[in-house]
Amino acid sequence: MANSRIDPATGTETVGHEWDGIEELDTPMPRWWLWTFYLTIVFAIGYVIAYPAWPMVDRATKGVLNWSSRGDLARDMDAAEQARTGVHEALSRVPVERLPDDSALLAQAVAGGRAAFQVHCTQCHGSGGAGSQRLGYPNLNDDDWLWGGDLRAIEFTLVNGIRAPGHDDTRQSQMPPFEGVFDPVQMEALIDHVLALSGKAENNRQGAQIFADNCAACHGEAGGGSRALGAPRLNDAIWLRGSTREDIRRQILNPRMGVMPAWENRLDPATIRMLAAYVHSLGGGEDFIAKADDPAVEVDDRP
Amino acid sequence: MTAPDPADPAPGARGQPDQQVSSAVADPAAATRRHDPHEPEPVHLPQSLVEKRAAVHNKRIDGRFRRFKWAVMLLTLGIYYGAPWLRWNRGPYAPDQAVLVDVANRRFYMFGIEIWPHEFYFVAGLLVMAGLGLFLVTSAVGRAWCGYACPQTVWTDLFQHVDRFVDGDRNARIRLDAAPWTWGKVTRRAFKWTIYLAIGFATGGAWVLYFADAPTLWRDFFAGEAAPIAYVTVAILTLMTVTLGGFMREQVCIYMCPWPRIQTAMLDEKSLIVTYKDWRGEPRGSVKKAEKDPAHFGDCIDCRQCVAVCPTGIDIREGPQIGCITCALCIDACDRVMADVGRPRGLIDYATLEDCEAEARGEAPRAPWRTILRPRTIAYGLIWGAVGLSLLFALGVRSHVGLTVSPDRNPPFMVMSDGGLRNSYTLKLRNMESRPRGFRITVDGLPGAVLWSDTVGRADAAAAQTVTVPADQTRTVRAYVAVPPGTTAQDFAFRLTSLDPQHETARARTHFSAPAGNSP
Ligand code: SF4
Ligand code: SF4
């Protein structure tokens, strides 16, 4: 370079640039450093041969090792699948009511159920299982169960669904519409009585009479509901479809009833069991009641 | 490389045979004249792109600094190779290895101290102390780290001893290097490199022993049953040790290590460095020449012993430079020579540049403690001590329980059928003792609250629950807290109390959510 000169202090040549009097020495680098450069070149050549490298028209060269990140992913997924099969196996063998005996398996079931819940159930019940009062999707965290809240009952509901069309074993019940049955005074009295069941209004004899004649068959004399019929409890603080007079009137005149698909043919038994365990774990899960008052649940006793 | 002749009558030539006097003292005028820093003749280097490494064959030397270096080397290597084998009883639930980095279980054991990942600030604090310690050492005694304790220095030293053991001292090694590749040389080299590999293997092998139970891993390793990562790590570290200690050596210090650059910035004219006192030594002249013209020549007899013993192969007489790791071997070498020719020791010595100038002016040297104790070092020392003390304090008062709470946010609260409210929480109970412990969980400051969990059903809900946490583990508990109807949203705390005599407690504040209608 034109301006390069020998620096007297070090005896080294400068590169010839100068910035405000500061010059740069052209110190020779150690030879091993040069070798490492050559090594990186060799490495690069090897890499290009071994791994996908050159972009071609629609894909890159494959490389002799045939490695791809997609392949890596597939392998990881396989491994995860393998790891899961053990739990699946165990779950499909253990009847759901035996799950709490094996706390490790239960924990895995709850974890798996949480994942499955996010895929299959959140659309209606919400990601936290809190449901929606406006749309009538039940909250799964509380202690109020329409059809039963022990592990077997939950599993049965999952398998067979609720009012699932075209499914023979589905949980079934129907509340008749009372449109045009009561005159306005009777209607108000009935609403008062329904509210009175949970202490939200004064008792009144007329409403009580109407309730006893029309409603008690399913909802019970004291409004305790019936799990066999999926008739909601009316004497508690939980209102599936709202607790205002308007909400109650609407529900009496033109009742809306929830529908839940039967998951029997959509999910494998192990996943359903995991979902049952998860829903049960949300906080409102009940212990088994000695006499199961829900329809007989067939215990899966396949080997 | 003529060794000075002890019978040389040089001191006598100065007229006072029995008194060791430096030429500068004997002739101050000459000393002042020579005080200009010595600058080597500008050599015309052949300009080339790369510089071939000149092998360093440093000569054997003995002296006080060499002995100190031996001691430090024994100590550091002893600690490194031996520490994994020390045992420390921690009871049946924890490993009995004194120093163990248990990556799989995320624990770090150091004698009586056990560090959990959330206590990593202890490790950070130690690193801060290490950093400050280096500052402190550098400003007090210069590059002492480089000279004695740096692994690169220690292992290089070890490998240089191997060289000396196999191939002989400096001259023999230079000859062997230049010799053609005969069978004899091949055998020697093979032997030497086998020793290199053995040292490298021992070094890499010792490293992995810090990460698992040493005796077990040792057995598994040689039975071929250890984890693949252990073999890979040992292989890489073996190669690294051999490359860096056996072949790269001073190249690491000169080209690769950031530390000399940082130290260069930290050294000032008050820092202790290994210096050649040019005002005393220049101009150099052999004993014979000095005899003829005592007034002209300085104390350096140009025997080049300081260059011969230098592990980085530099000439300290060219002035302070990045290649000097201040191992002080040249001081040992020069002191010997000075003793032999009957001149005062310390032509090359630990000194500060300021002291050198004062000394050259004929002033009395400052006391060594004044070099070491000055505002900068005291400040570093105080900060260092403060960090250390606060770490010790934190270690002393740290509790062996931990509790973290995270409330469920979706849904935030739940109306129960009796109209009461329930919130759900995920509690993490940490038992940092090496034995299983029972704990009582209670709710603090939430009137009427009852508590149940994923293992205790709602039927047994109560104001307090008892759980057992396994030794040295964190247990996750789902806790459900229910309150009577009408309770408003408010803050409260979970309290954890250990059921052993220590009664350690941990508290974690959290929030109870309620519907908007219940707001106070
Ligand atoms: S220069 Fe770097 S590698 Fe060399 S001794 Fe100092 S700290 Fe160690
Ligand atoms: S010049 Fe002296 S102190 Fe510096 S590295 Fe060489 S022998 Fe060690």
Side-chain angles (χ1 to χ4, degrees):
Chain A
M1 225 165 286
N3 303 324
S4 65
R5 59 183 189 91
I6 303 285
D7 169 57
T10 57
T12 312
E13 201 175 2
T14 65
V15 293
H17 308 298
E18 190 225 292
W19 298 269
D20 296 339
I22 300 172
E23 287 170 284
E24 188 187 346
L25 292 183
D26 193 5
T27 310
M29 65 176 160
R31 200 164 58 174
W32 56 263
W33 199 315
L34 191 69
W35 291 341
T36 54
F37 282 151
Y38 291 146
L39 259 181
T40 57
I41 294 172
V42 172
F43 175 85
I45 294 173
Y47 184 92
V48 162
I49 295 171
Y51 285 95
W54 293 109
M56 307 304 256
V57 179
D58 59 340
R59 71 198 55 195
T61 50
K62 271 202 157 55
V64 292
L65 291 186
N66 230 345
W67 180 91
S68 74
S69 47
R70 238 168 236 254
D72 251 15
L73 175 69
R75 235 191 344 271
D76 287 354
M77 297 295 278
D78 272 358
E81 195 64 47
Q82 288 291 325
R84 264 210 307 270
T85 44
V87 178
H88 269 245
E89 270 271 349
L91 275 175
S92 51
R93 253 185 294 110
V94 178
V96 75
E97 63 267 32
R98 289 269 153 270
L99 256 186
D101 300 348
D102 183 346
S103 60
L105 187 61
L106 179 65
Q108 277 170 315
V110 169
R114 178 176 299 122
F117 191 89
Q118 298 308 323
V119 177
H120 302 291
C121 313
T122 50
Q123 291 84 343
C124 297
H125 290 288
S127 61
S132 156
Q133 195 171 66
R134 195 171 60 78
L135 299 171
Y137 297 126
N139 189 330
L140 302 177
N141 292 265
D142 60 25
D143 58 346
D144 189 19
W145 296 91
L146 292 169
W147 302 90
D150 62 59
L151 275 169
R152 259 164 64 178
I154 296 171
E155 192 191 43
F156 185 92
T157 305
L158 275 158
V159 169
N160 299 301
I162 296 164
R163 304 183 187 96
H167 196 90
D168 295 338
D169 293 331
T170 192
R171 299 206 189 258
Q172 195 56 270
S173 70
Q174 190 84 25
M175 170 164 169
F178 288 88
E179 187 82 71
V181 176
F182 310 121
D183 63 39
V185 178
Q186 287 175 316
M187 192 70 218
E188 290 312 310
L190 179 57
I191 292 173
D192 272 340
H193 180 73
V194 169
L195 285 169
L197 287 174
S198 53
K200 284 196 172 68
E202 290 298 310
N203 274 321
N204 72 87
R205 297 217 23 233
Q206 185 190 16
Q209 192 55 52
I210 300 170
F211 188 84
D213 294 345
N214 296 283
C215 318
C218 294
H219 289 290
E221 205 60 61
S226 159
R227 289 186 172 181
L229 297 169
R233 235 179 113 178
L234 301 177
N235 60 0
D236 64 9
I238 296 170
W239 298 83
L240 179 54
R241 292 173 194 277
S243 59
T244 64
R245 300 186 77 88
E246 214 26 69
D247 290 334
I248 295 169
R249 174 173 317 149
R250 187 169 354 96
Q251 194 59 16
I252 294 173
L253 295 179
N254 195 4
R256 290 169 303 161
M257 280 154 291
V259 173
M260 168 165 152
W263 292 95
E264 191 175 28
N265 299 322
R266 307 196 200 184
L267 298 176
D268 59 281
T271 306
I272 290 181
R273 217 149 273 175
M274 290 197 277
L275 281 170
Y278 173 65
V279 170
H280 187 264
S281 80
L282 284 176
E286 294 171 347
D287 295 338
F288 295 108
I289 308 157
K291 55 164 187 49
D293 53 5
D294 51 279
V297 178
E298 82 276 26
V299 170
D300 191 0
D301 45 17
R302 278 175 295 174
Chain B
M1 246 136 297
T2 49
D5 183 1
D8 198 293
R14 247 170 260 253
Q16 290 157 307
D18 293 317
Q19 213 182 328
Q20 297 193 339
V21 173
S22 103
S23 60
V25 175
D27 184 0
T32 334
R33 171 166 51 78
R34 287 185 223 113
H35 180 230
D36 293 332
H38 166 69
E39 213 165 73
E41 296 287 299
V43 268
H44 184 77
L45 295 178
Q47 292 299 310
S48 82
L49 281 175
V50 290
E51 191 173 292
K52 188 166 178 286
R53 173 185 177 227
V56 176
H57 296 293
N58 58 335
K59 196 175 155 175
R60 181 198 311 274
I61 182 70
D62 189 26
R64 45 185 176 149
F65 292 111
R66 176 67 254 185
R67 297 214 181 115
F68 179 59
K69 217 163 142 64
W70 275 115
V72 176
M73 179 177 175
L74 279 181
L75 182 74
T76 48
L77 288 183
I79 291 176
Y80 177 72
Y81 290 121
W85 298 96
L86 296 179
R87 302 288 103 183
W88 190 267
N89 185 13
R90 296 190 183 88
Y93 297 102
D96 67 343
Q97 183 157 323
V99 182
L100 177 66
V101 184
D102 191 347
V103 178
N105 298 312
R106 299 196 210 88
R107 298 284 181 282
F108 173 56
Y109 299 95
M110 176 101 175
F111 298 95
I113 303 172
E114 179 189 347
I115 305 262
W116 286 51
H118 72 279
E119 294 174 308
F120 204 74
Y121 51 80
F122 282 119
V123 179
L126 281 182
L127 289 177
V128 169
M129 280 181 75
L132 284 172
L134 283 171
F135 293 173
L136 173 63
V137 168
T138 303
S139 50
V141 288
R143 291 178 64 180
W145 164 259
C146 288
Y148 304 97
C150 172
Q152 178 64 25
T153 295
V154 172
W155 263 270
T156 300
D157 201 21
L158 183 64
F159 278 104
Q160 281 170 341
H161 288 306
V162 171
D163 288 358
R164 203 167 290 139
F165 169 70
V166 177
D167 294 337
D169 208 3
R170 176 174 164 88
N171 292 342
R173 298 212 301 278
I174 293 177
R175 267 199 309 277
L176 187 67
D177 252 17
W181 281 91
T182 59
W183 277 113
K185 182 169 170 179
V186 170
T187 323
R188 265 175 188 282
R189 282 287 135 100
F191 179 46
K192 187 172 81 173
W193 290 340
T194 313
I195 300 181
Y196 280 13
L197 268 179
I199 295 176
F201 176 73
T203 307
W207 179 266
V208 295
L209 294 182
Y210 283 88
F211 295 85
D213 182 55
T216 319
L217 181 58
W218 177 273
R219 234 174 298 118
D220 289 354
F221 193 90
F222 290 106
E225 286 161 6
I229 184 74
Y231 295 100
V232 174
T233 312
V234 171
I236 290 178
L237 290 180
T238 304
L239 274 183
M240 206 169 102
T241 312
V242 170
T243 316
L244 296 186
F247 297 98
M248 299 290 291
R249 297 188 178 174
E250 80 290 343
Q251 300 282 305
V252 174
C253 301
I254 296 175
Y255 292 104
M256 293 157 74
C257 180
W259 194 229
R261 276 81 195 163
I262 300 173
Q263 290 181 114
T264 311
M266 296 186 58
L267 294 174
D268 55 21
E269 59 287 349
K270 292 191 174 66
S271 316
L272 215 49
I273 53 172
V274 173
T275 349
Y276 165 69
K277 296 177 178 164
D278 53 3
W279 53 272
R280 189 185 134 185
E282 298 294 312
R284 309 163 191 171
S286 70
V287 175
K288 289 217 166 58
K289 279 201 232 161
E291 223 174 299
K292 287 189 198 108
D293 187 2
H296 176 63
F297 288 104
D299 279 353
C300 176
I301 60 166
D302 209 9
C303 63
R304 298 182 59 80
Q305 290 301 302
C306 53
V307 183
V309 299
C310 178
T312 65
I314 58 164
D315 186 349
I316 190 63
R317 296 173 302 170
E318 286 169 7
Q321 52 197 289
I322 212 155
C324 174
I325 58 173
T326 73
C327 64
L329 293 185
C330 51
I331 303 183
D332 278 346
C334 191
D335 281 357
R336 270 186 166 227
V337 174
M338 288 298 114
D340 285 346
V341 300
R343 293 176 192 173
R345 69 157 294 279
L347 174 55
I348 301 175
D349 205 357
Y350 270 117
T352 68
L353 290 179
E354 223 175 53
D355 283 349
C356 280
E357 275 174 28
E359 231 180 293
R361 284 195 301 271
E363 293 163 18
R366 288 192 311 166
W369 67 265
R370 302 241 343 241
T371 311
I372 294 175
L373 279 188
R374 53 202 174 95
R376 212 172 107 189
T377 56
I378 293 172
Y380 280 140
L382 285 180
I383 304 175
W384 186 84
V387 176
L389 279 181
S390 39
L391 281 186
L392 279 180
F393 179 74
L395 203 62
V397 301
R398 75 176 175 159
S399 106
H400 289 83
V401 296
L403 174 66
T404 51
V405 176
S406 74
D408 274 13
R409 299 221 158 66
N410 180 16
F413 59 82
M414 191 58 45
V415 180
M416 305 301 280
S417 47
D418 61 3
L421 291 174
R422 192 196 81 207
N423 277 203
S424 312
Y425 301 87
T426 304
L427 308 185
K428 289 215 154 90
L429 319 183
R430 200 185 292 126
N431 173 18
M432 291 167 63
E433 289 284 2
S434 299
R435 54 192 153 84
R437 287 207 285 179
F439 290 98
R440 195 200 338 275
I441 311 175
T442 46
V443 167
D444 237 15
L446 191 63
V450 290
L451 182 68
W452 70 98
S453 74
D454 46 356
T455 47
V456 178
R458 192 184 176 196
D460 300 317
Q465 296 292 354
T466 311
V467 288
T468 312
V469 185
D472 237 335
Q473 269 176 32
T474 302
R475 178 168 165 194
T476 305
V477 171
R478 289 276 299 161
Y480 306 105
V481 175
V483 295
T487 303
T488 53
Q490 55 189 287
D491 288 342
F492 73 105
F494 281 97
R495 182 190 288 281
L496 192 66
T497 314
S498 73
L499 295 176
D500 53 7
Q502 274 102 313
H503 290 302
E504 282 190 291
T505 59
R507 233 174 93 96
R509 293 200 64 77
T510 184
H511 186 71
F512 191 90
S513 307
N518 285 13
S519 60

